Amino acid sequence: MIVRVIILVILSSLSIACGERVGSQETKSTTFYLIRHAEKDRSNPKDQNPNLILKGLERAKYWSSYFDTIPLNSVYTTDYNRTKQTISPICDVKNITPEIYSPNNINIQEFIKKNKGKNVLISGHSNTTPAMVNKLINKEEFDDMSDSDNKSLFVVKIINSDISFEVRSVPINQ
């Protein structure tokens, strides 16, 4: 009788251990954080690649403090001064070299696969950020952002085939 109990305990332990191991591989979480660039210089309407203004630089620093406790594995940005300047303080603190991406030429399935199990920050624009979220969630949920919206943070979490998303408002003065 005691031998049977011991065998049952051992088999149960092995079963639980194997199940947790398999389960942990299956439930690898991927989180994408998407932001629009901070406030840009609008003094020259013909300038297609403006820098951030002082308020935008302050917001970039604030984003850095916001992401201070959030582990990031990768950072992506479009190839514009304003998007690169927005994520620069975050990359400096976390010692991450940002990767340039083209929102119009991205294979979303390959992008998701490449970043599986990671926490990823993506810096884009009022049109490319919600479009990227729509691609990640595979649904047309979001329209272009207001041109004055520099405080929205989109969070897309993928666990197996389950996708959840939320939009947070992150003003500088909290």
Side-chain angles (χ1 to χ4, degrees), residues 2-100:
I2 293 176
V3 173
R4 283 188 204 174
V5 171
I6 292 172
I7 291 172
L8 282 173
V9 168
I10 291 171
L11 289 175
S12 295
S13 298
L14 287 173
S15 174
I16 290 170
C18 290
E20 287 176 357
R21 186 172 175 203
V22 170
S24 67
Q25 290 173 351
E26 291 176 5
T27 58
K28 204 173 233 189
S29 174
T30 305
T31 305
F32 295 97
Y33 300 92
L34 298 97
I35 59 175
R36 177 183 180 227
H37 62 78
E39 291 82 350
K40 66 181 179 180
D41 183 355
R42 297 176 183 275
S43 63
N44 179 359
K46 293 181 182 181
D47 186 357
Q48 296 296 306
N49 195 16
N51 291 309
L52 297 180
I53 59 173
L54 183 57
K55 184 174 182 180
L57 294 171
E58 289 172 5
R59 183 174 307 279
K61 286 180 189 172
Y62 186 76
W63 279 124
S64 181
S65 67
Y66 183 87
F67 282 99
D68 186 49
T69 59
I70 298 172
L72 294 174
N73 303 99
S74 302
V75 177
Y76 293 86
T77 181
T78 59
D79 197 13
Y80 287 87
N81 293 340
R82 57 195 177 273
T83 54
K84 292 187 277 190
Q85 290 170 344
T86 299
I87 52 94
S88 180
I90 299 166
C91 291
D92 289 346
V93 167
K94 296 196 177 280
N95 198 27
I96 296 174
T97 301
E99 294 183 50
I100 303 298

Side-chain angles (χ1 to χ4, degrees), residues 113-171:
K113 185 178 178 182
K114 176 182 178 181
N115 290 290
K116 185 175 183 175
K118 296 180 180 179
N119 291 329
V120 179
L121 174 63
I122 303 168
S123 177
H125 305 269
S126 61
N127 61 336
T128 65
T129 298
M132 186 71 158
V133 173
N134 290 339
K135 288 177 185 178
L136 289 168
I137 66 175
N138 197 26
K139 143 186 343 183
E140 291 300 314
E141 183 76 20
F142 299 101
D143 294 325
D144 289 358
M145 301 167 71
S146 162
D147 201 38
S148 62
D149 183 356
N150 301 95
K151 66 182 184 292
S152 289
L153 168 64
F154 297 83
V155 181
V156 177
K157 187 171 284 231
I158 303 173
I159 302 173
N160 296 330
S161 60
D162 295 328
I163 301 172
S164 63
F165 58 91
E166 67 175 299
V167 183
R168 300 176 189 165
S169 180
V170 184

